[in-house]
Amino acid sequence: MKINPDCVRDLLIYCVKNTSVANDYVQDPDKNCIMHFHILCVDSMIKDDALAAYSFGELVYHIIQLSDDGFLATDYRFRGEQQKDNFPAPRIFYVTPKGHNFVSETYEKQRWNSVKKALSAVGSVSLPVMEQVAGSIATAAISQLLTGGNVTGA
């Protein structure tokens, strides 16, 4: 399987909109504050229209990639031979600062289209390359804005 840039972006936007830390908490016997996350599970995510274009396997693959690269905090841990062929689908706890940066740099559709065009020209769609291209295009847009230019996705 290979990285699908649209799936990466759609998944991160979905997670930003649907993950949270609950406002309630409890204290354990040692007086530690125990918080609760609104955890996302793939089996419910796949039923949402925002992610309906992607298969269960494609979502799991991208969640694992985003987790391994530090965009998402999940409970996924590959255990090699101990796991054999079966392992539980990862659960998503929250979007990391790195994931939030990517979403903010690609949220506007026109900017996202510029990122995809650049990725197509480069011919590489690894997560680090996507992150670098999105950051460069966002930086160019900020520079253009600060110098009084018209920002049009670049």
Side-chain angles (χ1 to χ4, degrees), residues 65-138:
Q65 298 305 310
L66 290 165
S67 178
D68 283 350
D69 245 1
F71 290 82
L72 293 175
T74 72
D75 63 354
Y76 173 76
R77 298 291 176 265
F78 182 70
R79 293 174 190 82
E81 283 300 312
Q82 295 173 315
Q83 270 181 297
K84 303 284 184 208
D85 296 330
N86 299 313
F87 61 91
R91 296 177 299 167
I92 301 168
F93 295 103
Y94 60 90
V95 179
T96 67
K98 187 175 182 177
H100 278 283
N101 287 344
F102 185 82
V103 169
S104 65
E105 292 168 345
T106 61
Y107 191 78
E108 293 178 12
K109 193 69 169 170
Q110 189 173 5
R111 187 161 308 139
W112 175 239
N113 288 335
S114 296
V115 170
K116 288 197 323 183
K117 184 177 179 182
L119 290 172
S120 177
V122 171
S124 174
V125 288
S126 69
L127 290 175
V129 169
M130 288 176 62
E131 183 180 18
Q132 184 177 2
V133 169
S136 296
I137 289 173

Side-chain angles (χ1 to χ4, degrees), residues 11 24 29-31 36 44 52 55 79 99 112 121 125 129-130 142:
L11 191 51
D24 62 333
D30 295 326
K31 303 289 185 205
H36 302 279
S44 59
S55 69
R79 293 174 190 82
W112 175 239
V125 288
V129 169
M130 288 176 62
I142 292 167

Side-chain angles (χ1 to χ4, degrees), residues 8 12 15 25 28 39 60 64 81 92 96 106 122 132-133 138 148:
V8 167
L12 284 171
C15 291
Y25 65 93
D28 68 11
I39 299 170
V60 169
I64 291 169
E81 283 300 312
I92 301 168
T96 67
T106 61
V122 171
Q132 184 177 2
V133 169

Side-chain angles (χ1 to χ4, degrees), residues 1 19 29 43 64 111:
M1 197 172 279
T19 57
D43 59 337
I64 291 169
R111 187 161 308 139

